[in-house]
Amino acid sequence: MTTLLVKNAHVLVTMDDGRREIPGGGLFARDGAIEQVGPSEDLPSQADRVVDASGLLVLPGLVNTHHHFYQTLTRAVPGAQDAPLFDWLRCLYPIWANLDPDSVRVATTLALLELAKSGCTTAFDHQYLWPNGSRVDDQVEGAAPVGIRFHASRGSMSLSEKDGGLPPDSVVQGHDTIIEDTARVIDAFHDPSPGSMLQIAVSPCSPFTVTEELMRDSASLARERGVRLHTHLAETKDEERFTLERFEKRPVDYAADLGWLGADVWFAHAVFVANDEISRMADAGTGVAHCPTSNMRLASGIAPVAAYRAARVPVGLGVDGSASNDSSNLLAEARQAMLLGRLAVAPGIGEGEPMPARTALEIATRGGAEVLGRSDIGALESGRMADFFTLDLARVEFSGTIHDPVAAAVMCSTVPARDVFVGGEVVIEEYHHRSIDEGALVENHNRAASALLG
Ligand SMILES: [Zn+2]
């Protein structure tokens, strides 16, 4: 039994059902799970570890619902800097074909560390190509030293150029190989228990890279094993055109007809959806990973986040892959969500209310937890895991915001998390990771990136 007491926070943001924000607040946790949250004077006075959070904002750990860690090796690649999605992919596929177990491992460590430094305590990664013998196992190995919760995917691509898909033959796999390895990975790694550090989702890449048969069989396998389903959907106008021409269906109808609507499904992006598609998703409980930076970076479009939330579609936040962001900063992504949520209602673009800072924070925390199907994270309240991060309000970036530091966390310049705890265990303390040598990691990662680009 180990106990943790956090006390005297300038403000502790709970994100509980009442959205309580507690001045002078704190929490008491035992064996990684929160037992009490409240004013510091109401909490036990002793614990194995005591954290004095005076002058700090304490927030629930952020939850990332969409990423491609391997793309940290191909950020800002010249030929892909200004291209829309399909051309961007055509430029990058041949580079990604050179990935191997070592580069997948180092990219996973780097991306998760970068996320952790921004306050992220749970991250999903959508890896859908496995060249040169790379496997989910390499990602599991790469994730372990970072210490945040990892939702990996056994992603896939099976529809190459010769069959009318977008990717070259070198990065797709056969249907049976994919299904067999997906089953192996779920059996080897998926842990559904409360407080789980590692889960697996079944994640074919997108309508233009995967056969209908693989979409169908992936859904059957996921439901047989009780894991979640994820794919890219309705990201761009080009994709909408592709599904209309090839399948004579809109993207959500295409997904629904293959068994891809349900409370165990979430889509990345979901930008180009009609109102009736939003209703279908809401009725099914299908969630969305909103990726505002990527949608702007690739000039894709603006996802109808306000309409999703009004219809009670679960919405989480994703930084998306680092070749279309090109950062893994989830707090910065919350800021982007807020800003894009305002541009979305500007004259000539749309109508409605501008997104408040607290809504962006909610999407980044409890929204993401809901999208990943986790009731044990996403808020600081009794019964959930002690996953949280702190921001230092004495920094120049926050000066002048003492009247509302919670809004300032999103509205002001994005600053790194000062401390990060996962399950009551320290991951980052005073800006330093507990065990990773950041300089050596960056050196290894740069070496892998150079080898990849040739
Ligand atoms: Zn993506």
Side-chain angles (χ1 to χ4, degrees), residues 213-396:
E213 187 193 8
L214 184 60
M215 289 294 283
R216 244 187 231 108
D217 291 351
S218 294
S220 304
L221 176 68
R223 293 193 170 117
E224 216 176 87
R225 296 289 208 282
V227 302
R228 296 178 87 75
L229 282 162
H230 178 67
T231 192
H232 294 97
L233 200 80
E235 179 175 357
T236 63
K237 268 281 171 202
D238 286 343
E239 182 195 317
E240 186 184 68
R241 210 170 296 127
F242 180 92
T243 53
L244 283 170
E245 278 170 17
R246 187 178 168 97
F247 309 115
E248 296 178 341
K249 288 171 196 167
R250 293 196 46 78
V252 173
D253 293 331
Y254 164 78
D257 289 351
L258 297 172
W260 274 73
L261 269 191
D264 54 355
V265 179
W266 84 105
F267 299 136
H269 304 295
V271 174
F272 294 96
V273 289
N275 285 339
D276 64 308
E277 291 176 292
I278 294 176
S279 303
R280 290 192 79 179
M281 289 168 66
D283 290 346
T286 296
V288 171
H290 176 44
C291 305
T293 302
S294 175
N295 295 157
M296 289 187 272
R297 158 75 154 83
L298 297 172
S300 301
I302 304 177
V305 173
Y308 282 134
R309 284 175 53 84
R312 302 208 176 278
V313 170
V315 179
L317 206 54
V319 296
D320 202 4
S322 293
S324 69
N325 185 314
D326 305 348
S327 105
S328 311
N329 189 315
L330 199 49
L331 187 57
E333 201 64 26
R335 186 166 193 260
Q336 296 280 55
M338 177 191 72
L339 295 174
L340 191 58
R342 293 171 182 219
L343 186 63
V345 299
I349 297 178
E351 40 189 54
E353 296 299 314
M355 184 188 289
R358 282 172 171 78
T359 301
L361 263 185
E362 184 181 311
I363 292 171
T365 53
R366 58 183 293 148
E370 191 185 357
V371 164
L372 294 185
R374 296 197 62 156
S375 55
D376 58 338
I377 59 170
L380 300 179
E381 62 181 340
S382 171
R384 299 209 196 209
M385 304 309 295
D387 294 4
F388 60 92
F389 71 104
T390 71
L391 295 174
D392 185 353
L393 298 174
R395 295 178 65 107
V396 290

Side-chain angles (χ1 to χ4, degrees), residues 70-308:
Y70 69 86
Q71 292 180 9
T72 57
L73 297 161
T74 56
R75 302 198 234 220
V77 169
Q81 283 176 14
D82 307 315
L85 181 68
F86 281 13
D87 291 340
W88 174 90
L89 283 167
R90 285 190 193 99
C91 168
L92 291 167
Y93 282 139
I95 301 173
W96 296 337
N98 298 325
L99 285 166
D100 64 13
D102 286 341
S103 49
V104 167
R105 203 176 299 121
V106 72
T108 301
T109 310
L110 186 115
L112 283 168
L113 179 62
E114 191 182 0
L115 283 164
K117 285 162 68 89
S118 74
C120 174
T121 53
T122 300
F124 168 73
D125 187 55
H126 186 182
Q127 176 145 356
Y128 49 78
L129 38 79
W130 306 96
N132 304 307
S134 52
R135 304 190 302 166
V136 171
D137 313 46
D138 305 311
Q139 288 207 291
V140 171
E141 237 177 81
V146 183
I148 74 171
R149 302 184 200 282
F150 180 32
H151 285 226
S153 61
R154 203 321 181 168
S156 54
M157 295 199 293
S158 65
L159 188 72
S160 69
E161 275 169 321
K162 67 172 173 13
D163 301 315
L166 195 74
D169 289 348
S170 57
V171 290
V172 305
Q173 292 179 302
H175 175 278
D176 294 350
T177 306
I178 291 167
I179 291 293
E180 276 164 34
D181 193 53
T182 307
R184 177 190 72 81
V185 165
I186 297 167
D187 293 346
F189 298 118
H190 182 66
D191 171 13
S193 61
S196 168
M197 293 295 293
L198 180 59
Q199 298 202 359
I200 304 292
V202 178
S203 311
C205 184
S206 64
F208 51 87
T209 57
V210 174
T211 61
E212 291 173 84
E213 187 193 8
L214 184 60
M215 289 294 283
R216 244 187 231 108
D217 291 351
S218 294
S220 304
L221 176 68
R223 293 193 170 117
E224 216 176 87
R225 296 289 208 282
V227 302
R228 296 178 87 75
L229 282 162
H230 178 67
T231 192
H232 294 97
L233 200 80
E235 179 175 357
T236 63
K237 268 281 171 202
D238 286 343
E239 182 195 317
E240 186 184 68
R241 210 170 296 127
F242 180 92
T243 53
L244 283 170
E245 278 170 17
R246 187 178 168 97
F247 309 115
E248 296 178 341
K249 288 171 196 167
R250 293 196 46 78
V252 173
D253 293 331
Y254 164 78
D257 289 351
L258 297 172
W260 274 73
L261 269 191
D264 54 355
V265 179
W266 84 105
F267 299 136
H269 304 295
V271 174
F272 294 96
V273 289
N275 285 339
D276 64 308
E277 291 176 292
I278 294 176
S279 303
R280 290 192 79 179
M281 289 168 66
D283 290 346
T286 296
V288 171
H290 176 44
C291 305
T293 302
S294 175
N295 295 157
M296 289 187 272
R297 158 75 154 83
L298 297 172
S300 301
I302 304 177
V305 173
Y308 282 134

